[in-house]
Amino acid sequence: MKKSDVTCSECGAGFRRLELTSERGIQGNYHCPACGTLIKELGAAHLVLYRLTVQPSTKAIRNQ
């Protein structure tokens, strides 16, 4: 398992990213649930999960 932190470039929301190399994932895209910005294109080789850890900036969300 690999762990890393990811931040949305638009609203500043923070995510913990977990990658499980022992499980196959689903190909697709992960978008920030707060502002809709594309965070990462996902391949099917490994299972990748994201968990919101830092709330987004409300100022950034209001300006959209």
Side-chain angles (χ1 to χ4, degrees), residues 5-59:
D5 293 317
V6 178
T7 303
C8 177
S9 61
E10 290 296 315
C11 70
F15 303 91
R16 170 58 55 112
R17 181 183 186 274
L18 300 175
E19 181 176 345
L20 300 174
T21 56
S22 61
E23 297 284 332
R24 293 213 27 99
I26 299 172
Q27 190 166 353
N29 298 322
Y30 182 74
H31 295 269
C32 177
C35 69
T37 300
L38 177 65
I39 300 293
K40 182 73 176 172
E41 292 183 17
L42 304 171
H46 303 126
L47 179 61
V48 178
L49 306 167
Y50 288 89
R51 187 178 110 217
L52 181 66
T53 56
V54 177
Q55 292 294 320
S57 165
T58 55
K59 182 179 178 182

